[in-house]
Amino acid sequence: MLPIEQFALKGAAQSCERYGNGHINETYLVTCPSARYILQKINTNVFKKPDELMQNIASVLRHQRSRVSDPRGCMALVPTRDGASWYQDESGAYRCYDFVEGTICLDRAESEADFAESGAGFGAFQRMLADFPAHTLHETIPHFHDTPDRYRIFKEVVAADALGRVCEAHREIDFALAHEKDAAALMEAGLPLRVTHNDTKLNNVLLDAQTRKALCVIDLDTVMPGFAANDFGDSIRFGASTAAEDETDLSKVTMSLDLYAAFTRAFLGACSLTQPEIELLPMGAKLMTLECGVRFLTDYLQGDTYFRVHRPGHNLDRARTQFKLVADMETKWAEMARITKNGGK
Ligand code: ADP
Ligand code: GN1
Ligand code: MG
């Protein structure tokens, strides 16, 4: 039983259904007579300290709230009946948000303009947090975009081969190992640390359904200090792909230079980055994709305990698309660098 009645909703809940395509939390749409809500069971296997997580979210939302013009421009937490920002019982940890009405959430860009809007949204989010006191943020997942550390864990998991799956994934393991030389490229570049979102998938920004303009950045669980190139790169990884993250026909999976350019224009137009940060944006795209592939592959080899899966081999399929994208980016590297240098033109 979900603890819906613990939250201060406007009226009794008429329905509560699983919602969205996130890989981490359990998300439910709760409908009351005069309002809708998003109820989430926080994945405490991933977020070990929900109290710290919720402190981060509450303070980021307060900061955003004082800066947005449209009230739908940032999420609103629904307090518990006791006035707390989240609720915990023996079944788990829960939080509730107002449903941001009149928006759409895309798993694939339907046009260059939609994808560019996500760039404008994430760029504006980063700009909005430029004066947020970064030292007050808890590290909700330590070493989240520490690619060398992701490799360290990956290699331990390969060596252990606890489920005997290594034999199913030789080609992918070899690909990952052959690309390890790039792993520290961002971390060793001396880039400025900013407050970043760190999970900038297209489906983590809501677009206004009428205007299709970016309206509200969601999924704030991983807001932590990071590099601008991480946010840029994770968006490209997911949204500039010509296929779904779990497409099994790899011939459909490429990185679209048109989508790359459209996103770059919008992102750079919305936040102001230094020259070294701009130069490393293509590396951000490649590394976030490689890192995500390594994470999917690690999870496959470990028995699918982190990312939600919907079929056998799902995480291996996901790893394959990421590595296909990395290989495709390598063939387009010079053009990606040129487009980035020209501000997305
Ligand atoms: P996860 O961490 O599992 O990805 P998200 O916080 O991204 O969870 O939520 C999953 C999905 O639920 C989103 O992709 C979006 O479709 C929807 N969603 C989340 N919060 C809201 C909200 N406040 N208003 C409308 N839709 C939301
Ligand atoms: C997860 O939570 P969601 O589905 O928006 C993951 C990201 C990965 C992404 C891959 C906290 O994002 O880091 O890039 O899946 N989030 C967490 O699709 O690990
Ligand atoms: Mg999400």
Side-chain angles (χ1 to χ4, degrees):
M1 267 296 276
L2 292 163
I4 307 177
E5 70 291 345
Q6 297 296 330
F7 291 91
L9 309 183
K10 293 185 189 121
Q14 295 167 308
S15 65
C16 176
E17 293 150 9
R18 275 301 284 268
Y19 191 77
N21 293 324
H23 294 339
I24 302 296
N25 296 305
E26 261 176 45
T27 301
Y28 298 86
L29 172 64
V30 178
T31 306
C32 293
S34 63
R36 299 198 295 171
Y37 302 94
I38 287 286
L39 177 72
Q40 283 183 322
K41 182 175 184 189
I42 300 167
N43 183 332
T44 47
N45 177 39
V46 169
F47 300 105
K48 312 268 186 219
K49 296 182 182 167
D51 51 336
E52 294 190 358
L53 170 77
M54 293 309 295
Q55 279 174 34
N56 277 8
I57 291 183
S59 56
V60 167
L61 289 176
R62 252 192 321 272
H63 186 91
Q64 275 185 289
R65 178 62 60 201
S66 65
R67 284 162 174 77
V68 291
S69 46
D70 186 325
R72 296 176 306 153
C74 78
M75 288 193 292
L77 277 166
V78 179
T80 67
R81 298 203 181 275
D82 297 335
S85 61
W86 62 291
Y87 175 78
Q88 188 166 35
D89 62 18
E90 58 296 339
S91 71
Y94 301 84
R95 65 178 169 222
C96 185
Y97 294 109
D98 285 338
F99 187 91
V100 185
E101 296 289 352
T103 56
I104 51 169
C105 179
L106 301 173
D107 284 303
R108 292 276 302 283
E110 286 168 17
S111 66
E112 270 177 43
D114 284 349
F115 188 46
E117 269 309 310
S118 77
F122 286 122
F125 181 82
Q126 199 166 109
R127 196 188 54 223
M128 216 186 284
L129 291 178
D131 61 343
F132 183 90
H135 66 277
T136 64
L137 284 174
H138 302 284
E139 201 176 8
T140 55
I141 303 181
H143 300 282
F144 190 57
H145 284 318
D146 179 340
T147 313
D149 198 57
R150 297 287 186 180
Y151 264 98
R152 181 185 63 75
I153 296 165
F154 166 65
K155 287 191 286 188
E156 280 176 16
V157 167
V158 172
D161 193 16
L163 284 105
R165 289 183 173 178
V166 161
C167 58
E168 309 284 332
H170 268 304
R171 268 187 307 154
E172 291 71 27
I173 292 169
D174 288 349
F175 184 95
L177 293 176
H179 284 76
E180 190 181 357
K181 59 183 182 325
D182 284 334
L186 288 180
M187 295 184 77
E188 289 178 352
L191 295 171
L193 269 182
R194 299 179 180 277
V195 176
T196 47
H197 183 281
N198 294 308
D199 188 2
T200 50
K201 273 157 72 160
L202 182 59
N203 64 13
N204 284 333
V205 59
L206 304 176
L207 306 185
D208 186 306
Q210 298 282 311
T211 63
R212 289 186 95 94
K213 297 278 175 208
L215 186 62
C216 182
V217 168
I218 62 170
D219 203 345
L220 306 177
D221 295 327
T222 51
V223 175
M224 286 182 282
F227 304 128
N230 293 341
D231 277 3
F232 174 88
D234 199 43
S235 279
I236 297 299
R237 172 192 82 71
F238 187 85
S241 173
T242 52
E245 193 182 57
D246 59 357
E247 173 61 58
T248 52
D249 179 352
L250 292 181
S251 69
K252 293 185 181 155
V253 183
T254 60
M255 202 274 307
S256 156
L257 282 170
D258 290 336
L259 288 171
Y260 181 90
F263 187 92
T264 304
R265 273 196 303 280
F267 188 77
L268 290 179
C271 61
S272 48
L273 302 185
T274 62
Q275 206 48 42
E277 283 178 300
I278 295 173
E279 270 164 35
L280 279 166
L281 292 178
M283 185 52 88
K286 183 163 131 177
L287 266 195
M288 284 300 98
T289 313
L290 180 64
E291 179 189 283
C292 199
V294 167
R295 292 173 62 199
F296 286 142
L297 185 53
T298 304
D299 199 30
Y300 171 71
L301 297 173
Q302 251 179 337
D304 308 305
T305 58
Y306 186 95
F307 297 103
R308 183 176 302 117
V309 289
H310 303 285
R311 58 180 188 246
H314 205 170
N315 273 317
L316 182 58
D317 292 340
R318 290 170 174 153
R320 286 180 172 144
T321 62
Q322 301 310 290
F323 294 157
K324 171 75 197 288
L325 286 171
V326 170
D328 193 47
M329 286 180 199
E330 287 176 339
T331 69
K332 295 171 176 165
W333 198 243
E335 190 58 0
M336 284 166 73
R338 190 197 62 74
I339 291 169
T340 311
K341 203 162 155 225
N342 281 344
K345 294 184 196 90

